[in-house]
Amino acid sequence: MKGKRLIVIFIVLVLVMLKLIFNIITNYIIISQYNNGQYLEKQSKLLTYINFQQRYVANYNYGNICYKNEKYEEAIEQYKKALNYRVPKYKECKIRINYALAICKTVELNEADSKSIEDAIKKYENAIDILTQNYCANKNDNNGHSQEAEQLKKDIKKEIERLKKLQKDNNKSQDNKKDENNTKNEENNTIENQIKKEKEEAIKEQREKENKFRKYNNEYNYDKKNW
């Protein structure tokens, strides 16, 4: 009985070792190819299911590959999952930086559309919230844990300020156009009223002439006279 238990324990240990070796080799291949500009999405995704050592690493790496393949929504999901695990503080900021960058990449901006500008501002503000959680960057000053996170926060804030100014200018321009349209409408109404008045006066004058002619015709019986 004791011998069987030892055999079972031995088999389990062998399987664990094989899995660990597989994870290490696969991860090494993924990183090597990544550094050479080749992004192995399937292999990286596989590790998120079977890699139980440092789970955040698998999700972070897969997120980076999704980011490089311009699948920003999927990258966001992987960074979010990575942060659900216990991540060392010095590595957490790297995840948050890439998470914030992926959010910024989802911005589709039409600078002539106020709704598009508003949506962009909200996404950028969300990216800053990600950076400032756990003080990777500091919301109130520049004393966060990561200088990279602080720099990204500054860059995003500049873009938000630019968009808010653009939004203000667009609103002002729209107000001016409304004022111009109102002025034009008033002018058009004045012209229309003037034309209407002149038309009414002309009709009135024409009717007066017709009445005078009828009166003249009745008095002199002009149409029934013989020559």
Side-chain angles (χ1 to χ4, degrees):
M1 188 72 178
K2 193 175 181 180
K4 286 183 179 180
R5 284 183 183 175
L6 289 173
I7 291 170
V8 170
I9 291 170
F10 177 76
I11 291 170
V12 169
L13 288 173
V14 169
L15 290 173
V16 169
M17 286 299 297
L18 287 173
K19 182 179 180 300
L20 182 61
I21 292 168
F22 173 80
N23 288 346
I24 291 169
I25 292 172
T26 306
N27 201 47
Y28 174 79
I29 292 169
I30 290 168
I31 292 170
S32 297
Q33 293 298 312
Y34 182 91
N35 293 333
N36 291 326
Q38 295 181 14
Y39 312 117
L40 307 178
E41 196 169 321
K42 288 182 181 178
Q43 293 86 334
S44 184
K45 187 175 183 179
L46 177 64
L47 284 186
T48 64
Y49 295 118
I50 63 174
N51 184 10
F52 58 83
Q53 294 88 10
Q54 295 182 313
R55 287 294 303 270
Y56 70 90
V57 172
N59 291 109
Y60 173 70
N61 288 345
Y62 181 39
N64 287 344
I65 287 174
C66 290
Y67 185 98
K68 288 291 187 180
N69 288 332
E70 298 182 1
K71 297 180 178 180
Y72 302 116
E73 294 290 350
E74 290 181 34
I76 288 169
E77 286 302 312
Q78 293 307 312
Y79 296 137
K80 196 184 294 184
K81 286 179 181 178
L83 290 171
N84 287 334
Y85 300 108
R86 187 174 293 178
V87 184
K89 188 180 288 185
Y90 69 97
K91 288 187 176 181
E92 181 181 346
C93 291
K94 282 187 174 292
I95 297 174
R96 290 191 178 279
I97 288 167
N98 287 7
Y99 188 173
L101 284 169
I103 291 172
C104 293
K105 284 289 189 179
T106 63
V107 172
E108 295 179 358
L109 180 62
N110 177 2
E111 294 192 354
D113 179 34
S114 59
K115 179 69 169 60
S116 176
I117 295 172
E118 188 65 34
D119 290 343
I121 290 171
K122 284 180 182 177
K123 284 189 176 182
Y124 286 134
E125 287 175 342
N126 185 26
I128 289 177
D129 287 340
I130 297 299
L131 289 171
T132 53
Q133 287 176 25
N134 290 347
Y135 295 98
C136 283
N138 197 311
K139 218 163 196 175
N140 302 317
D141 54 43
N142 300 323
N143 296 321
H145 302 313
S146 168
Q147 288 305 308
E148 288 181 7
E150 286 291 351
Q151 185 58 53
L152 180 57
K153 180 194 75 176
K154 286 180 188 177
D155 293 340
I156 294 172
K157 277 190 171 182
K158 282 182 184 177
E159 181 62 8
I160 289 173
E161 287 170 8
R162 186 186 77 82
L163 290 178
K164 284 184 175 179
K165 184 179 182 301
L166 179 64
Q167 192 177 42
K168 190 177 179 181
D169 291 342
N170 284 353
N171 289 339
K172 190 175 179 181
S173 177
Q174 286 175 2
D175 289 340
N176 289 338
K177 282 181 181 178
K178 283 180 183 177
D179 291 340
E180 287 176 8
N181 289 336
N182 289 336
T183 303
K184 284 180 181 178
N185 288 336
E186 287 175 5
E187 289 175 355
N188 289 337
N189 288 336
T190 302
I191 292 169
E192 285 176 5
N193 290 334
Q194 185 66 31
I195 292 171
K196 187 178 179 182
K197 187 177 179 182
E198 290 176 0
K199 189 175 180 181
E200 287 174 351
E201 288 177 354
I203 292 170
K204 185 179 178 182
E205 186 179 348
Q206 180 66 27
R207 284 176 180 169
E208 287 176 355
K209 286 180 180 179
E210 288 175 356
N211 289 335
K212 282 181 182 179
F213 179 79
R214 286 195 193 97
K215 185 178 180 183
Y216 176 85
N217 193 28
N218 290 335
E219 285 178 359
Y220 294 95
N221 199 19
Y222 182 81
D223 291 334
K224 297 178 182 177
K225 254 187 175 184
N226 292 328
W227 290 88

